[in-house]
């Protein structure tokens, strides 16, 4: 589904990704972890071409992302993305947040988009909030809306960039529950998170990144059992000690 | 296209344009900025003094000035200054006031309103701990302002104050409405005398543009330096 | 003071045969408002486009925007009006220049366009600041959903940016109204111009200027109140703008 091979990415003179190679199969859930600044966000932004990269290639469902002929808006519409700070559009009602791209990008009719939006809001347990504005919802609710907004596009894969790290502790589980359901339904997912509980519950593989490199790329049981690298071991002991 | 134009007219009138016109413009700009800053700071202090009446008067003055077009204010003071002079000197008739004095009074009074808003923002941007620390050391209110608060406010706001001065420099051209020979007035006089409007106005534009550009470039450099230090 | 006040002057007929002095001032006020509104429309349209250009990733676009803003900001408004009014007709091809010179209401059109372009540079700066004040993630989120850059600006960035910059835009609109008085130098007899004319006809300087002052203050109050109402009407529930 997602093939990342030998990707290098520079921000000016700073190399954010170094020869990154990995893949995500259809229906697979991959958790990406690593210290702050290690390039996790950059990697998943490259997957739907939110960030250009200088060398290597990424192939998404058979389409080359860094091909100048690729229709990027169309490609991006097929990959759902959930951000750390939700990034709902504050001037639009919840339901309008869900409809905007369905209508403008996919060309769905307003009624069709509304129906789809309502169904997804129901699914994340927020049917009652449809007519509210984002600022009137709690962080956890906003993040669930953001997930519903991404799902409304019928994505073939979902990217999550630290979806729970801006949330108050008591709201984390409501978001993780939605993600777990999604994973169990067979959605292809790349999830940047430090929630190791989530990883051990639904992840198939864990990728550990440090300083722009993929240091470890292992099956979940192998990763938690005995990480091969010192760096991953250190990192794990740090976050698990809490 | 420019064949019928005579750009020599600029060369012939350079002396008049710069020694008379530009000198007037720059002196007016400099003195008005200085006077406006002093009066404006005073107004800002009045507004922040916590004394109701004083704050109200200053606020009213600032709002009034900022609601009026500069051209109208120029006319106001042009006719008002002789009477103010009469009142100040106790003479029996409105006194005669020169073009420069009248313009200077106008711009000091007008710019003070704008400078006061900048200084007020500057004073408010300083953390409350600063005046508290100063007063804990035994400084009086005026010493606190003079030695602790105002210098910091001035330094923080310097780029904004300078930008406002560039605006002031451009605005002085409006004394044209009183037929005063500032730089633009001088250019205009030559233009009309010799029938060389195109040449003279383009030249005046180029000069204003060059000076403003260089000045705003300087302000940007300063801003970057300040940002770098902080 | 040996100045003879005569507040009844406003109801006396003005020598230019258009009614009383008050009528004269009010017709000036109408012209001020008309000019300001036309200029403001131009300022908003050009200013938004240039402001957006300055926030695009393309170096060329932001350079064009920068050049535009610098050009209109570094020339006194009066000089800009002189260039549009006196210089432009001379340097255009002869027939165009002639057409410009013979255009009726030339001072009005020149003022509306000249002041509009002058103000557009300031609107551009506000627009740019508004867009840049939005979290970077907003553009990313819009892009990630598949919106094109144009759609992201149209549906996501600009609606929020304009809400945020409403207060500074209000004061720019007030500046536009005040700046129309500069056009008396090219023969536009707006409010300040009519007050000046009244002073010349009647010698009642201070009455004339007081009346103009009061009218400007009224306009200010009306505009500020209207903009507050508008701001409240388009405010996003729960969203706190500014600090
Ligand atoms: N727009 C950018 N410009 C320059 N450097 C950036 C930019 N975005 C991220 N970086 C740098 O790239 C590195 C990786 O960033 P990121 O992928 O956000 O890390 P992570 O998500 O793992 O915390 C960091 O060192 C960061 O400073
Ligand atoms: Mg990150």
């Amino acid at each position: 589904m997602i093939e990342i091979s030998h990707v290098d990415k520079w921000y000016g003179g700073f190399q954010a990704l170094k020869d990154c190679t990995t893949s995500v199969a259809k229906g697979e859930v991959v958790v990406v972890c690593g210290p702050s600044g290690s390039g996790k966000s950059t990697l998943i932004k490259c997957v739907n071409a939110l960030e250009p990269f200088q060398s290597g290639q990424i192939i998404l469902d058979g389409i080359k992302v860094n091909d100048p002929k690729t229709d990027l808006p169309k490609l991006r519409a097929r990959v759902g993305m959930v951000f750390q700070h939700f990034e709902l559009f504050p001037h639009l009602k919840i339901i309008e947040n869900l409809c905007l791209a369905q209508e403008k990008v996919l060309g769905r009719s307003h009624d069709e988009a509304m129906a789809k939006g309502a169904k997804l809001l129901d699914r994340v347990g927020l049917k009652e909030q449809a007519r509210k504005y984002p600022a009137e919802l709690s962080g956890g609710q906003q993040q669930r809306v953001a997930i519903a907004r991404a799902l409304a596009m019928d994505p073939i894969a979902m990217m999550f960039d630290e979806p729970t790290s801006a949330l108050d502790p008591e709201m984390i589980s409501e978001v993780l529950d939605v993600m777990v359901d999604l994973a169990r339904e067979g959605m292809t997912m790349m999830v940047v998170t430090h929630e190791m509980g989530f990883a051990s519950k639904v992840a198939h593989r864990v990728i550990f990144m440090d300083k722009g490199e993929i240091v470890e790329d292992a099956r979940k049981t192998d990763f938690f059992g005995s990480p091969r690298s010192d760096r991953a071991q250190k990192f794990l002991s740090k976050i698990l000690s809490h | 296209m420019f064949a019928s134009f005579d750009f020599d007219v600029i060369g012939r009138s350079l002396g008049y344009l710069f020694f008379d016109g530009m000198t007037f413009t720059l002196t007016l700009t400099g003195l008005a900025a200085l006077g406006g800053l002093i009066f404006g700071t005073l107004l800002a202090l009045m507004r922040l003094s916590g004394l109701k009446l004083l704050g109200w008067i200053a606020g009213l003055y600032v709002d009034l000035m900022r609601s009026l077009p500069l051209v109208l204010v120029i006319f106001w003071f042009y006719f008002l200054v002789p009477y103010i002079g009469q009142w100040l000197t106790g003479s029996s008739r409105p006194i005669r006031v020169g073009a420069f004095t009248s313009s200077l009074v106008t711009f000091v009074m007008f710019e003070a309103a704008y400078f006061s808003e900048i200084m007020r923002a500057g004073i408010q941007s300083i953390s409350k701990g600063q005046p508290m620390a100063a007063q804990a050391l035994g400084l009086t209110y005026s010493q606190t302002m003079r030695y602790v608060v105002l210098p910091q406010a001035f330094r923080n706001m310097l780029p904004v104050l300078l930008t406002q001065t560039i605006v002031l420099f451009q605005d002085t051209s409006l004394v044209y409405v009183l037929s005063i020979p500032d730089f633009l007035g001088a250019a205009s006089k030559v233009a009309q005398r010799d029938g060389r409007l195109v040449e003279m106005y383009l030249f005046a534009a180029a000069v204003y543009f060059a000076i403003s550009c260089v000045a705003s470039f300087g302000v940007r450099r300063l801003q970057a330096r300040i940002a770098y230090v902080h | 003071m040996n100045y003879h006040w005569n507040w009844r002057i406003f109801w006396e007929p003005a020598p230019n045969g258009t009614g009383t002095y008050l009528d004269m001032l009010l017709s000036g006020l109408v012209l001020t408002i008309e000019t300001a509104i036309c200029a403001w429309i131009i300022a908003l349209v050009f200013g938004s486009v240039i402001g957006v250009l300055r926030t695009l990733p393309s170096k060329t676009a932001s350079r064009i925007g920068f050049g535009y803003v610098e050009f209109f900001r570094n020339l006194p408004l009066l000089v800009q009006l002189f260039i549009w009014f006196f210089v432009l007709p001379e340097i255009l091809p002869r027939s165009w220049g002639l057409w410009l010179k013979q255009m009726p209401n030339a001072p009005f059109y020149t003022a509306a366009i000249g002041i509009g372009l002058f103000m557009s540079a300031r609107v551009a700066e506000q627009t740019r600041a508004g867009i840049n004040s939005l979290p970077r993630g907003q553009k990313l989120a819009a892009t990630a959903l598949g919106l094109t850059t144009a759609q992201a600006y149209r549906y996501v960035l600009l609606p929020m940016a304009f809400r945020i910059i409403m207060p500074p835009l209000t004061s720019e609109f007030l500046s536009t109204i005040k700046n129309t008085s500069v056009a008396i130098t090219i023969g536009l007899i707006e409010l300040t111009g009519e007050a000046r004319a009244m002073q010349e006809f009647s010698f009642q300087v201070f009455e004339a200027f007081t009346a103009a002052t009061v009218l400007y203050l009224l306009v200010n109050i009306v505009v500020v109140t209207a903009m507050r109402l508008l701001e409240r009407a388009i405010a996003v529930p729960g969203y706190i703008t500014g600090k």
Side-chain angles (χ1 to χ4, degrees):
Chain A
M1 173 75 62
I2 306 170
E3 297 285 344
I4 301 170
S5 37
H6 305 292
V7 168
D8 291 303
K9 153 109 193 143
W10 280 268
Y11 286 113
F14 174 79
Q15 189 165 9
L17 293 179
K18 293 175 195 154
D19 194 29
C20 290
T21 301
T22 188
S23 66
V24 182
K26 188 162 172 12
E28 198 174 24
V29 176
V30 174
V31 161
V32 182
C33 62
S36 166
S38 57
K40 309 179 295 292
S41 302
T42 307
L43 182 68
I44 64 170
K45 280 179 196 159
C46 285
V47 171
N48 64 349
L50 287 175
E51 291 284 359
F53 48 92
Q54 283 76 16
S55 70
Q57 70 171 7
I58 296 179
I59 293 175
L60 188 78
D61 195 29
I63 300 165
K64 198 171 159 205
V65 170
N66 51 329
D67 185 338
K69 287 194 287 285
T70 301
D71 181 351
L72 287 182
K74 211 169 226 162
L75 177 107
R76 289 176 182 133
R78 302 180 67 202
V79 180
M81 179 127 186
V82 175
F83 298 83
Q84 182 176 0
H85 296 287
F86 332 136
E87 305 300 349
L88 297 180
F89 305 135
H91 62 297
L92 300 178
K93 290 183 183 136
I94 298 305
I95 187 73
E96 293 169 340
N97 260 280
L98 269 69
C99 289
L100 179 70
Q102 290 190 67
E103 291 172 29
K104 303 301 171 192
V105 180
L106 302 180
R108 288 183 184 153
S109 75
H110 183 65
D111 293 340
E112 203 181 341
M114 289 288 282
K116 177 109 197 165
K119 208 174 88 193
L120 283 162
L121 276 182
D122 193 23
R123 172 172 174 180
V124 299
L126 293 170
K127 201 168 60 178
E128 268 68 57
Q129 320 292 338
R131 301 260 147 222
K132 287 195 181 161
Y133 285 88
E136 297 175 300
L137 266 55
S138 73
Q141 291 175 321
Q142 290 191 50
Q143 194 62 299
R144 278 143 67 199
V145 173
I147 295 173
R149 179 175 72 179
L151 291 176
M153 306 295 285
D154 292 323
I156 53 168
M158 290 278 287
M159 308 280 134
F160 294 81
D161 191 358
E162 307 204 27
T164 56
S165 57
L167 293 176
D168 292 335
E170 74 271 17
M171 295 173 186
I172 291 179
S173 64
E174 65 185 62
V175 172
L176 288 180
D177 286 349
V178 172
M179 291 168 61
V180 168
D181 285 348
L182 206 54
R184 295 209 166 124
E185 281 163 29
M187 175 61 79
T188 309
M189 293 163 71
M190 261 183 108
V191 185
V192 176
T193 187
H194 293 161
E195 294 293 334
M196 288 304 142
F198 173 81
S200 61
K201 204 185 276 177
V202 293
H204 300 101
R205 282 191 7 252
V206 179
I207 291 176
F208 173 75
M209 290 185 72
D210 192 18
K211 303 202 175 86
E213 286 173 280
I214 294 180
V215 179
E216 194 122 2
D217 183 347
R219 295 219 320 267
K220 172 176 65 183
T221 43
D222 295 342
F223 185 79
F224 287 121
S226 54
R228 272 161 293 177
S229 67
D230 284 354
R231 287 193 272 184
Q233 235 155 25
K234 262 200 200 121
F235 176 76
L236 261 186
S237 68
K238 246 187 225 160
I239 60 169
L240 291 179
S241 69
H242 288 299
Chain B
M1 184 172 73
F2 285 99
S4 62
F5 296 130
D6 166 26
F7 283 93
D8 292 343
V9 65
I10 294 164
R12 279 182 268 123
S13 50
L14 276 183
Y16 175 57
L17 287 178
F18 283 92
F19 284 113
D20 296 355
M22 192 46 92
T23 309
F24 183 101
T25 294
L26 290 180
T27 319
L28 180 59
T29 304
L31 291 179
L34 193 66
L37 180 64
I38 293 170
F39 184 33
T41 305
L42 221 63
L43 286 167
L45 289 176
M46 281 166 74
R47 289 190 86 170
L48 296 172
S49 67
L51 300 173
K52 271 243 168 65
L53 183 67
L54 221 53
W56 186 78
I57 294 174
L60 198 69
Y61 178 85
V62 170
D63 287 347
L64 176 68
M65 279 300 169
R66 296 190 340 135
S67 305
L68 296 181
L70 177 52
V71 176
L72 181 63
V73 177
I74 289 174
F75 285 141
W76 255 119
F77 278 102
Y78 180 71
F79 291 102
L80 204 56
V81 167
Y83 287 95
I84 298 174
Q86 177 195 13
W87 179 64
L88 284 179
T89 58
S91 89
S92 59
R93 315 200 44 189
I95 60 166
R96 285 179 151 286
V97 179
F100 184 78
T101 314
S102 171
S103 315
L104 183 58
V105 172
T106 307
F107 278 94
V108 169
M109 302 298 279
F110 186 76
E111 289 301 324
Y114 289 85
F115 279 122
S116 99
E117 287 297 274
I118 298 170
M119 285 309 285
R120 188 162 71 115
I123 293 169
Q124 283 175 328
S125 74
I126 291 161
S127 82
K128 296 274 171 295
Q130 287 288 312
M132 246 184 252
Q135 275 162 349
L137 287 170
L139 269 64
T140 64
Y141 174 80
S142 63
Q143 285 173 325
T144 303
M145 282 298 162
R146 164 116 177 56
Y147 297 113
V148 178
V149 174
L150 288 181
Q152 294 188 60
F154 179 77
R155 256 227 328 253
N156 292 351
M157 287 293 143
L158 191 57
V160 190
L161 290 168
L162 288 173
T163 304
Q164 181 62 30
T165 306
I166 298 173
V167 174
L168 165 63
F169 165 70
Q170 298 184 5
D171 279 351
T172 57
S173 65
L174 289 175
V175 298
Y176 174 89
V177 298
L178 299 177
S179 313
I180 290 172
D182 70 321
F183 181 67
L184 183 64
S188 177
K189 250 179 206 153
V190 176
Q192 265 143 30
R193 186 194 64 200
D194 297 2
R196 293 284 165 207
L197 265 60
V198 174
E199 297 85 337
M200 292 312 290
Y201 287 148
L202 283 180
F203 178 66
V207 171
Y208 275 109
F209 188 75
I211 294 177
S212 301
C213 265
V214 169
S216 38
F217 178 74
V219 173
R220 265 200 294 274
R221 284 276 301 268
L222 180 76
Q223 225 159 2
R225 271 231 324 253
I226 291 174
Y228 181 75
V229 170
H230 281 284
Chain C
M1 278 210 276
N2 41 9
Y3 176 80
H4 299 288
W5 293 95
N6 173 17
W7 290 103
R8 255 170 305 185
I9 184 78
F10 296 116
W11 286 271
E12 289 172 20
N16 61 0
T18 50
T20 62
Y21 280 113
L22 185 63
D23 294 332
M24 212 171 119
L25 290 176
L26 289 179
S27 74
L29 177 65
V30 170
L31 190 54
T32 288
I33 293 169
E34 285 172 350
T35 315
I37 289 176
C38 292
W40 185 239
I41 292 169
I42 294 171
L44 275 183
V45 172
F46 284 72
S48 316
V49 172
I50 298 295
V52 166
L53 280 188
R54 292 202 68 183
T55 62
L56 292 176
S58 147
K59 277 240 163 59
T60 323
S62 68
R63 273 206 203 108
I64 291 171
F66 177 79
Y68 181 97
V69 170
E70 288 300 299
F71 179 81
F72 286 105
R73 261 213 316 211
N74 285 320
L75 278 176
L77 174 57
L78 179 53
V79 173
Q80 295 189 27
L81 290 184
F82 278 3
I83 288 180
W84 298 129
F85 196 71
F86 296 117
V87 176
L88 187 66
E90 304 296 333
I91 59 178
L92 285 177
R94 183 165 296 273
S95 57
W96 295 23
L98 216 62
W99 177 77
L100 273 180
K101 284 189 217 169
Q102 289 165 349
M103 188 168 59
N105 287 335
F108 173 79
Y109 293 113
T110 310
I113 293 170
I115 295 168
L117 292 178
F118 176 77
M119 291 307 300
S120 73
R122 292 165 53 162
V123 172
E125 284 300 272
Q126 301 292 358
T127 308
R128 176 175 77 116
I131 295 169
N132 285 342
S133 76
L134 300 173
R136 230 176 68 87
Q138 288 281 301
K139 172 92 187 292
L140 275 183
T143 313
L145 282 168
L147 296 177
T148 61
T149 302
Q151 286 175 323
Y153 274 91
R154 162 79 182 75
Y155 298 112
V156 175
L157 301 179
L158 287 178
M160 246 1 254
F162 275 119
R163 282 180 172 86
I164 290 169
I165 62 169
M166 277 299 275
L169 279 188
T170 302
S171 73
E172 297 298 1
F173 180 47
L174 292 174
S175 295
T176 309
I177 297 172
K178 289 184 278 175
N179 278 334
T180 54
S181 67
V182 175
I184 71 175
T185 56
I186 54 168
L188 187 79
I189 313 296
E190 40 61 79
L191 182 51
T192 301
E194 293 287 14
R196 176 93 165 119
M198 171 171 169
Q199 167 257 319
E200 276 171 354
F201 291 144
S202 71
F203 300 105
Q204 299 303 130
V205 190
F206 296 123
E207 290 86 340
F209 292 162
T210 303
T213 300
V214 169
L215 290 175
Y216 277 115
L217 288 179
L218 283 178
V219 170
N220 261 273
I221 291 168
V222 170
V223 169
V224 169
T225 315
M227 293 299 266
R228 284 243 175 88
L229 290 177
L230 178 62
E231 243 174 86
R232 209 166 301 159
I234 62 171
V236 175
Y239 189 89
I240 302 131
T241 40
K243 282 149 270 173

